[in-house]
Amino acid sequence: MVIGGASGIGAEICREMADNGYAVVVGDRNIDAAQALIGELAGTGHAAAQVDVADEASVATFFDSLSQRPGRFDVAVNCAGITVLGLVTELPVAKFRRVVDVCLTGAFLVVQHAARHIADGGAIISLSSLNARQPAVGMSAYCSAKAGLSMLTQVAALELGARGVRVNAIAPGLVRTPLTSGALGVPGVESEYVENVPLGRPGTPGEIADAVLYLARAQWITGEVLDINGGAHMMRYPNVHAHFERSVQAGSPA
Ligand SMILES: NC(=O)c1ccc[n+]([C@@H]2O[C@H](COP(=O)([O-])OP(=O)(O)OC[C@H]3O[C@@H](n4cnc5c(N)ncnc54)[C@H](O)[C@@H]3O)[C@@H](O)[C@H]2O)c1
């Protein structure tokens, strides 16, 4: 199953898993997009279900119905994520909480329920971020939540190892998706980002999906947070907030 699978990186993971013979259950807050994606996946046995990771009852219901399905539940991928831009001195706590609710507490609920239902020997894979280790001006909520998710991954890996359940995360650098298209549209953001990527470009959803497939199969890897970012973790993150402010002052907000 892929939660947050209806868009961007998650949708590409669903395509790649289906291409490799998995029956995929796409969970997402956006059920219309999840259902539309099912129609384009290769193979059979796929399904879509609505789930809001910020709502514990919704996550419990999703996994209860998943466990009623035929077949073995052996791979859980959590891609649900949101972000918000605002300096620490200005960001309303409600916005901070909302990002943490989805990206950290939501991830905890997904890992918790996935662990209760997944077959022994299965794989749980979360989407962390370059921002789990690389701070970015104006992104306190997202950076904090993703840093927490990277540590949650390692704690869960310790706890689930006895069942052979592998718990890993992928930490992508900037990938063009609906989540990032706004920021990438702000003049200066993409160029400053690329200047700080040794391999000289943003990533693609397919490059992240390849790694998910690898981790789904990798029998002796657990507690790993895999950086996939063209080497960006060795350099610095662009000042998205400053570019955004300049763009607003110039009268051309993205
Ligand atoms: N795109 C990037 O550059 C990038 C970089 C690093 C990490 N990530 C992470 O990868 C993951 C996927 O990002 P993306 O760029 O594909 O974003 P996206 O916006 O294209 O997709 C995110 C999906 O999550 C779903 N979602 C959001 N809130 C949800 C909730 N409460 N419950 C259930 N579903 C919910 C959305 O409906 C959407 O389908 C996120 O966790 C993101 O933080 C993305």
Side-chain angles (χ1 to χ4, degrees):
M1 61 115 247
V2 183
I3 287 186
S7 171
I9 293 170
E12 198 56 31
I13 293 167
C14 293
R15 291 186 196 98
E16 182 139 348
M17 300 303 277
D19 287 348
N20 282 275
Y22 288 88
V24 183
V25 175
V26 184
D28 206 285
R29 201 176 46 174
N30 184 344
I31 185 64
D32 293 341
Q35 274 162 348
L37 178 65
I38 292 300
E40 59 171 86
L41 296 182
T44 57
H46 312 303
Q50 192 162 34
V51 61
D52 179 353
V53 300
D55 176 350
E56 185 176 4
S58 169
V59 176
T61 302
F62 173 86
F63 279 97
D64 284 345
S65 56
L66 186 75
S67 65
Q68 310 296 319
R69 293 181 59 78
R72 215 170 89 110
F73 169 34
D74 51 12
V75 182
V77 184
N78 178 34
C79 282
I82 58 170
T83 189
V84 67
L85 195 61
L87 297 176
V88 169
T89 46
E90 291 161 13
L91 186 69
V93 70
K95 290 192 175 180
F96 186 93
R97 283 204 175 107
R98 177 69 191 148
V99 173
V100 171
D101 273 355
V102 174
C103 292
L104 180 55
T105 314
F108 169 77
L109 290 170
V110 172
V111 171
Q112 177 175 70
H113 286 267
R116 288 174 182 166
H117 291 281
I118 202 163
D120 288 357
I124 300 174
I125 302 158
S126 295
L127 268 289
S128 182
S129 170
L130 171 61
N131 295 123
R133 61 145 80 194
Q134 199 170 72
V137 174
M139 292 174 60
S140 59
Y142 187 79
C143 293
S144 305
K146 292 295 187 180
L149 173 54
S150 289
M151 183 51 80
L152 168 68
T153 299
Q154 296 174 66
V155 174
L158 283 178
E159 295 182 7
L160 295 170
R163 284 175 49 205
V165 173
R166 295 156 291 118
V167 189
N168 293 293
I170 292 171
L174 206 54
V175 175
R176 190 179 295 277
T177 67
L179 182 74
T180 54
S181 58
L184 285 169
V186 176
V189 171
E190 183 163 357
S191 56
E192 190 188 344
Y193 181 75
V194 167
E195 273 167 28
N196 284 286
V197 179
L199 294 180
R201 63 171 175 82
T204 66
E207 287 166 333
I208 310 305
D210 288 348
V212 169
L213 186 64
Y214 172 73
L215 287 175
R217 293 169 167 168
Q219 294 297 317
W220 213 41
I221 299 181
T222 197
E224 179 65 24
V225 180
L226 183 60
D227 284 306
I228 304 184
N229 58 37
H233 62 285
M234 297 178 287
M235 300 182 73
R236 66 175 177 81
Y237 207 74
N239 192 330
V240 178
H241 186 267
H243 290 297
F244 185 78
E245 289 294 300
R246 268 195 293 277
S247 165
V248 170
Q249 275 158 23
S252 58

PDB file of all heavy atoms in Angstrom, residues 83-104:
ATOM      1  N   THR A  83       3.706  21.100   3.361  1.00  0.00           N
ATOM      2  CA  THR A  83       4.668  22.037   3.943  1.00  0.00           C
ATOM      3  C   THR A  83       4.030  23.420   4.050  1.00  0.00           C
ATOM      4  O   THR A  83       2.928  23.652   3.562  1.00  0.00           O
ATOM      5  CB  THR A  83       5.967  22.080   3.100  1.00  0.00           C
ATOM      6  OG1 THR A  83       6.952  22.838   3.807  1.00  0.00           O
ATOM      7  CG2 THR A  83       5.742  22.697   1.733  1.00  0.00           C
ATOM      8  N   VAL A  84       4.741  24.311   4.720  1.00  0.00           N
ATOM      9  CA  VAL A  84       4.279  25.691   4.869  1.00  0.00           C
ATOM     10  C   VAL A  84       5.530  26.558   4.981  1.00  0.00           C
ATOM     11  O   VAL A  84       6.564  26.092   5.456  1.00  0.00           O
ATOM     12  CB  VAL A  84       3.370  25.819   6.109  1.00  0.00           C
ATOM     13  CG1 VAL A  84       4.145  25.601   7.400  1.00  0.00           C
ATOM     14  CG2 VAL A  84       2.676  27.168   6.162  1.00  0.00           C
ATOM     15  N   LEU A  85       5.426  27.806   4.515  1.00  0.00           N
ATOM     16  CA  LEU A  85       6.574  28.716   4.568  1.00  0.00           C
ATOM     17  C   LEU A  85       6.304  29.828   5.568  1.00  0.00           C
ATOM     18  O   LEU A  85       5.227  30.436   5.542  1.00  0.00           O
ATOM     19  CB  LEU A  85       6.794  29.313   3.164  1.00  0.00           C
ATOM     20  CG  LEU A  85       8.132  30.009   2.890  1.00  0.00           C
ATOM     21  CD1 LEU A  85       9.300  29.042   3.045  1.00  0.00           C
ATOM     22  CD2 LEU A  85       8.130  30.622   1.490  1.00  0.00           C
ATOM     23  N   GLY A  86       7.232  30.089   6.473  1.00  0.00           N
ATOM     24  CA  GLY A  86       7.056  31.182   7.435  1.00  0.00           C
ATOM     25  C   GLY A  86       8.200  31.180   8.432  1.00  0.00           C
ATOM     26  O   GLY A  86       8.617  30.118   8.899  1.00  0.00           O
ATOM     27  N   LEU A  87       8.702  32.373   8.728  1.00  0.00           N
ATOM     28  CA  LEU A  87       9.805  32.474   9.692  1.00  0.00           C
ATOM     29  C   LEU A  87       9.348  32.055  11.089  1.00  0.00           C
ATOM     30  O   LEU A  87       8.169  32.208  11.431  1.00  0.00           O
ATOM     31  CB  LEU A  87      10.324  33.910   9.742  1.00  0.00           C
ATOM     32  CG  LEU A  87      10.929  34.454   8.440  1.00  0.00           C
ATOM     33  CD1 LEU A  87      11.306  35.922   8.606  1.00  0.00           C
ATOM     34  CD2 LEU A  87      12.147  33.626   8.021  1.00  0.00           C
ATOM     35  N   VAL A  88      10.262  31.565  11.888  1.00  0.00           N
ATOM     36  CA  VAL A  88       9.952  31.141  13.255  1.00  0.00           C
ATOM     37  C   VAL A  88       9.244  32.261  14.025  1.00  0.00           C
ATOM     38  O   VAL A  88       8.309  32.017  14.787  1.00  0.00           O
ATOM     39  CB  VAL A  88      11.244  30.717  13.989  1.00  0.00           C
ATOM     40  CG1 VAL A  88      11.012  30.532  15.477  1.00  0.00           C
ATOM     41  CG2 VAL A  88      11.805  29.430  13.371  1.00  0.00           C
ATOM     42  N   THR A  89       9.687  33.513  13.805  1.00  0.00           N
ATOM     43  CA  THR A  89       9.101  34.636  14.541  1.00  0.00           C
ATOM     44  C   THR A  89       7.679  34.957  14.087  1.00  0.00           C
ATOM     45  O   THR A  89       6.959  35.690  14.758  1.00  0.00           O
ATOM     46  CB  THR A  89       9.965  35.902  14.341  1.00  0.00           C
ATOM     47  OG1 THR A  89      10.281  36.008  12.959  1.00  0.00           O
ATOM     48  CG2 THR A  89      11.225  35.830  15.173  1.00  0.00           C
ATOM     49  N   GLU A  90       7.259  34.419  12.955  1.00  0.00           N
ATOM     50  CA  GLU A  90       5.956  34.800  12.392  1.00  0.00           C
ATOM     51  C   GLU A  90       4.977  33.649  12.194  1.00  0.00           C
ATOM     52  O   GLU A  90       3.764  33.877  12.075  1.00  0.00           O
ATOM     53  CB  GLU A  90       6.173  35.491  11.031  1.00  0.00           C
ATOM     54  CG  GLU A  90       6.834  36.857  11.167  1.00  0.00           C
ATOM     55  CD  GLU A  90       7.460  37.346   9.867  1.00  0.00           C
ATOM     56  OE1 GLU A  90       7.175  36.761   8.806  1.00  0.00           O
ATOM     57  OE2 GLU A  90       8.243  38.314   9.950  1.00  0.00           O
ATOM     58  N   LEU A  91       5.478  32.422  12.128  1.00  0.00           N
ATOM     59  CA  LEU A  91       4.610  31.292  11.758  1.00  0.00           C
ATOM     60  C   LEU A  91       3.576  31.018  12.855  1.00  0.00           C
ATOM     61  O   LEU A  91       3.948  30.751  14.002  1.00  0.00           O
ATOM     62  CB  LEU A  91       5.471  30.038  11.539  1.00  0.00           C
ATOM     63  CG  LEU A  91       4.733  28.810  11.000  1.00  0.00           C
ATOM     64  CD1 LEU A  91       4.285  29.030   9.557  1.00  0.00           C
ATOM     65  CD2 LEU A  91       5.620  27.567  11.097  1.00  0.00           C
ATOM     66  N   PRO A  92       2.273  31.063  12.536  1.00  0.00           N
ATOM     67  CA  PRO A  92       1.264  30.729  13.556  1.00  0.00           C
ATOM     68  C   PRO A  92       1.424  29.273  13.997  1.00  0.00           C
ATOM     69  O   PRO A  92       1.659  28.396  13.164  1.00  0.00           O
ATOM     70  CB  PRO A  92      -0.066  30.924  12.814  1.00  0.00           C
ATOM     71  CG  PRO A  92       0.255  31.762  11.623  1.00  0.00           C
ATOM     72  CD  PRO A  92       1.669  31.445  11.257  1.00  0.00           C
ATOM     73  N   VAL A  93       1.270  29.041  15.299  1.00  0.00           N
ATOM     74  CA  VAL A  93       1.489  27.689  15.816  1.00  0.00           C
ATOM     75  C   VAL A  93       0.528  26.696  15.173  1.00  0.00           C
ATOM     76  O   VAL A  93       0.854  25.509  15.003  1.00  0.00           O
ATOM     77  CB  VAL A  93       1.424  27.673  17.365  1.00  0.00           C
ATOM     78  CG1 VAL A  93       0.008  27.919  17.862  1.00  0.00           C
ATOM     79  CG2 VAL A  93       1.981  26.355  17.901  1.00  0.00           C
ATOM     80  N   ALA A  94      -0.644  27.145  14.781  1.00  0.00           N
ATOM     81  CA  ALA A  94      -1.609  26.222  14.153  1.00  0.00           C
ATOM     82  C   ALA A  94      -1.032  25.660  12.849  1.00  0.00           C
ATOM     83  O   ALA A  94      -1.240  24.490  12.520  1.00  0.00           O
ATOM     84  CB  ALA A  94      -2.933  26.939  13.884  1.00  0.00           C
ATOM     85  N   LYS A  95      -0.303  26.492  12.110  1.00  0.00           N
ATOM     86  CA  LYS A  95       0.296  26.007  10.855  1.00  0.00           C
ATOM     87  C   LYS A  95       1.435  25.055  11.147  1.00  0.00           C
ATOM     88  O   LYS A  95       1.639  24.065  10.443  1.00  0.00           O
ATOM     89  CB  LYS A  95       0.779  27.194  10.005  1.00  0.00           C
ATOM     90  CG  LYS A  95      -0.372  28.010   9.435  1.00  0.00           C
ATOM     91  CD  LYS A  95       0.128  28.979   8.385  1.00  0.00           C
ATOM     92  CE  LYS A  95      -1.054  29.699   7.748  1.00  0.00           C
ATOM     93  NZ  LYS A  95      -0.647  30.645   6.714  1.00  0.00           N
ATOM     94  N   PHE A  96       2.222  25.373  12.179  1.00  0.00           N
ATOM     95  CA  PHE A  96       3.305  24.474  12.586  1.00  0.00           C
ATOM     96  C   PHE A  96       2.711  23.109  12.957  1.00  0.00           C
ATOM     97  O   PHE A  96       3.162  22.063  12.490  1.00  0.00           O
ATOM     98  CB  PHE A  96       4.059  25.077  13.778  1.00  0.00           C
ATOM     99  CG  PHE A  96       5.273  24.296  14.194  1.00  0.00           C
ATOM    100  CD1 PHE A  96       6.534  24.611  13.693  1.00  0.00           C
ATOM    101  CD2 PHE A  96       5.162  23.233  15.086  1.00  0.00           C
ATOM    102  CE1 PHE A  96       7.661  23.883  14.075  1.00  0.00           C
ATOM    103  CE2 PHE A  96       6.280  22.500  15.471  1.00  0.00           C
ATOM    104  CZ  PHE A  96       7.536  22.829  14.962  1.00  0.00           C
ATOM    105  N   ARG A  97       1.643  23.155  13.772  1.00  0.00           N
ATOM    106  CA  ARG A  97       1.025  21.903  14.227  1.00  0.00           C
ATOM    107  C   ARG A  97       0.472  21.093  13.068  1.00  0.00           C
ATOM    108  O   ARG A  97       0.540  19.870  13.059  1.00  0.00           O
ATOM    109  CB  ARG A  97      -0.125  22.205  15.206  1.00  0.00           C
ATOM    110  CG  ARG A  97       0.329  22.564  16.581  1.00  0.00           C
ATOM    111  CD  ARG A  97      -0.769  22.282  17.624  1.00  0.00           C
ATOM    112  NE  ARG A  97      -0.251  22.533  18.949  1.00  0.00           N
ATOM    113  CZ  ARG A  97      -0.584  23.582  19.696  1.00  0.00           C
ATOM    114  NH1 ARG A  97      -1.455  24.477  19.243  1.00  0.00           N
ATOM    115  NH2 ARG A  97      -0.064  23.737  20.888  1.00  0.00           N
ATOM    116  N   ARG A  98      -0.105  21.775  12.093  1.00  0.00           N
ATOM    117  CA  ARG A  98      -0.720  21.074  10.958  1.00  0.00           C
ATOM    118  C   ARG A  98       0.339  20.256  10.195  1.00  0.00           C
ATOM    119  O   ARG A  98       0.107  19.106   9.833  1.00  0.00           O
ATOM    120  CB  ARG A  98      -1.395  22.097  10.034  1.00  0.00           C
ATOM    121  CG  ARG A  98      -2.011  21.518   8.791  1.00  0.00           C
ATOM    122  CD  ARG A  98      -3.247  20.666   9.094  1.00  0.00           C
ATOM    123  NE  ARG A  98      -3.657  19.913   7.917  1.00  0.00           N
ATOM    124  CZ  ARG A  98      -4.225  18.706   7.940  1.00  0.00           C
ATOM    125  NH1 ARG A  98      -4.497  18.119   9.085  1.00  0.00           N
ATOM    126  NH2 ARG A  98      -4.561  18.104   6.840  1.00  0.00           N
ATOM    127  N   VAL A  99       1.508  20.872   9.970  1.00  0.00           N
ATOM    128  CA  VAL A  99       2.573  20.160   9.249  1.00  0.00           C
ATOM    129  C   VAL A  99       3.065  18.978  10.084  1.00  0.00           C
ATOM    130  O   VAL A  99       3.269  17.867   9.562  1.00  0.00           O
ATOM    131  CB  VAL A  99       3.735  21.120   8.889  1.00  0.00           C
ATOM    132  CG1 VAL A  99       4.907  20.357   8.304  1.00  0.00           C
ATOM    133  CG2 VAL A  99       3.248  22.173   7.894  1.00  0.00           C
ATOM    134  N   VAL A 100       3.236  19.188  11.393  1.00  0.00           N
ATOM    135  CA  VAL A 100       3.674  18.096  12.261  1.00  0.00           C
ATOM    136  C   VAL A 100       2.614  16.992  12.311  1.00  0.00           C
ATOM    137  O   VAL A 100       2.931  15.794  12.293  1.00  0.00           O
ATOM    138  CB  VAL A 100       4.011  18.627  13.674  1.00  0.00           C
ATOM    139  CG1 VAL A 100       4.267  17.482  14.652  1.00  0.00           C
ATOM    140  CG2 VAL A 100       5.236  19.538  13.603  1.00  0.00           C
ATOM    141  N   ASP A 101       1.338  17.389  12.341  1.00  0.00           N
ATOM    142  CA  ASP A 101       0.239  16.397  12.369  1.00  0.00           C
ATOM    143  C   ASP A 101       0.311  15.462  11.167  1.00  0.00           C
ATOM    144  O   ASP A 101       0.063  14.269  11.279  1.00  0.00           O
ATOM    145  CB  ASP A 101      -1.123  17.101  12.344  1.00  0.00           C
ATOM    146  CG  ASP A 101      -1.598  17.469  13.734  1.00  0.00           C
ATOM    147  OD1 ASP A 101      -0.925  17.088  14.714  1.00  0.00           O
ATOM    148  OD2 ASP A 101      -2.628  18.154  13.831  1.00  0.00           O
ATOM    149  N   VAL A 102       0.604  16.024  10.000  1.00  0.00           N
ATOM    150  CA  VAL A 102       0.627  15.209   8.778  1.00  0.00           C
ATOM    151  C   VAL A 102       1.973  14.494   8.635  1.00  0.00           C
ATOM    152  O   VAL A 102       2.025  13.275   8.444  1.00  0.00           O
ATOM    153  CB  VAL A 102       0.330  16.075   7.531  1.00  0.00           C
ATOM    154  CG1 VAL A 102       0.508  15.254   6.250  1.00  0.00           C
ATOM    155  CG2 VAL A 102      -1.083  16.655   7.613  1.00  0.00           C
ATOM    156  N   CYS A 103       3.060  15.256   8.755  1.00  0.00           N
ATOM    157  CA  CYS A 103       4.387  14.706   8.385  1.00  0.00           C
ATOM    158  C   CYS A 103       5.035  13.875   9.486  1.00  0.00           C
ATOM    159  O   CYS A 103       5.863  13.019   9.180  1.00  0.00           O
ATOM    160  CB  CYS A 103       5.343  15.833   7.997  1.00  0.00           C
ATOM    161  SG  CYS A 103       4.892  16.659   6.465  1.00  0.00           S
ATOM    162  N   LEU A 104       4.678  14.117  10.742  1.00  0.00           N
ATOM    163  CA  LEU A 104       5.313  13.350  11.819  1.00  0.00           C
ATOM    164  C   LEU A 104       4.301  12.480  12.569  1.00  0.00           C
ATOM    165  O   LEU A 104       4.422  11.259  12.584  1.00  0.00           O
ATOM    166  CB  LEU A 104       6.051  14.273  12.792  1.00  0.00           C
ATOM    167  CG  LEU A 104       6.752  13.559  13.960  1.00  0.00           C
ATOM    168  CD1 LEU A 104       7.722  12.487  13.479  1.00  0.00           C
ATOM    169  CD2 LEU A 104       7.475  14.560  14.850  1.00  0.00           C
TER     170      LEU A 104
END
